[in-house]
Amino acid sequence: MKKVSVVIPAFNEEASIGSTLRAIRERILCQELIVVDDGSVDDTAQLARQWADLVISTPQNKGKGAALQAGWQHASGDVVMLLDGDLRESAAEAAHLLSPVIAGACDMSVAVLPPPRQKAGMGLAKGLARHGIRILTGFEARAPLSGQRAFRREVLQRLGRLDKGFGVEVGLTVDAIRAGYRVLEVPVRFSHRETGNDWSGYCHRGKEFVAIGRTLCHKWWEGQGWRQNG
């Protein structure tokens, strides 16, 4: 039987982390649950210790990519699943994301979430990510920004260091496909906090757009080097 590790990056998630971890413990067959407290200033770490096998705390916020990097490198599972800390009770749906990797149907599964209850923004970040992935790899991604993913451990070991910040999901998809791994998008009824149509929401999406653009440019340059060396 394959050992499953779940890695959750969390920044100021005291309102959600407890119910998220409880749902995983009660409903998902995982042998290792790791939370990376990415510089939280609330009670995220204390609440996580009630459920997690390991809580890694950083003194300051380093970003999602760095948190995921620290988490998976501490994981010992044959399969590693990355989930967000704000899924709450819907984290129980993660079995649908996990099963195709365990069954050998793919090397990396990506969750396609239900449509948001309220449309936020103009979809520029998602559109840029989808278009960039298609140009760089030919893969038509339905959920290019989904942070809910499961991997065979070999994939993460082969890819090495993850991209930083909000570009991490795009980088994972591009790198996995370029390395010849099978990527499968799976509909999963996760629900999580949505950014709104307020100033904070627009700022978040603006930062996301810039980070995605930076990652795509980096991947393009990597691809040019790969072609020349090949």
Side-chain angles (χ1 to χ4, degrees):
M1 181 178 177
K2 291 183 173 64
K3 180 179 179 179
V4 175
S5 297
V6 177
V7 175
I8 298 181
F11 175 63
N12 291 342
E13 291 287 0
E14 65 177 5
S16 306
I17 195 68
S19 55
T20 299
L21 298 179
R22 182 174 62 249
I24 293 169
R25 278 298 192 202
E26 293 178 350
R27 300 287 297 277
I28 307 300
L29 292 176
C30 77
Q31 289 74 41
E32 186 176 50
L33 181 52
I34 299 173
V35 174
V36 183
D37 170 37
D38 188 22
S40 298
V41 295
D42 62 5
D43 290 332
T44 295
Q46 293 89 324
L47 293 169
R49 290 190 183 97
Q50 299 176 23
W51 300 97
D53 297 300
L54 173 65
V55 176
I56 303 168
S57 292
T58 60
Q60 60 186 12
N61 182 259
K62 295 184 177 181
K64 187 175 183 180
L68 291 173
Q69 183 79 25
W72 85 256
Q73 287 186 324
H74 279 83
S76 59
D78 306 299
V79 175
V80 179
M81 184 160 58
L82 311 179
L83 298 176
D84 289 341
D86 63 350
L87 296 177
R88 297 181 183 254
E89 289 77 11
S90 75
E93 299 293 322
H96 300 291
L97 181 64
L98 194 58
S99 57
V101 179
I102 292 178
C106 64
D107 302 304
M108 177 175 82
S109 62
V110 181
V112 180
L113 276 63
R117 295 185 296 272
Q118 178 182 355
K119 182 177 175 57
M122 296 175 285
L124 296 179
K126 186 175 181 179
L128 175 64
R130 180 182 289 124
H131 185 63
I133 291 171
R134 182 174 64 248
I135 289 176
L136 293 175
T137 68
F139 181 72
E140 292 284 350
R142 294 171 57 197
L145 303 180
S146 177
Q148 326 311 317
R149 300 176 181 231
F151 308 76
R152 289 197 301 115
R153 182 177 183 82
E154 174 196 326
V155 178
L156 290 169
Q157 290 176 323
R158 170 79 180 275
L159 300 186
R161 183 160 296 279
L162 306 184
D163 291 276
K164 297 180 180 179
F166 295 121
V168 61
E169 290 88 4
V170 172
L172 279 169
T173 299
V174 172
D175 288 345
I177 293 173
R178 280 180 168 174
Y181 291 113
R182 300 164 298 161
V183 177
L184 178 66
E185 293 186 310
V186 183
V188 183
R189 296 189 65 81
F190 285 134
S191 62
H192 64 151
R193 184 175 56 252
E194 299 171 0
T195 55
N197 288 312
D198 54 10
W199 178 248
S200 176
Y202 281 109
C203 286
H204 173 83
R205 287 188 289 274
K207 292 177 182 178
E208 189 176 41
F209 185 89
V210 171
I212 291 166
R214 186 183 298 117
T215 297
L216 289 171
C217 287
H218 181 60
K219 296 305 172 187
W220 183 82
W221 280 111
E222 285 183 346
Q224 294 297 105
W226 177 79
R227 291 187 181 92
Q228 291 173 5
N229 293 334

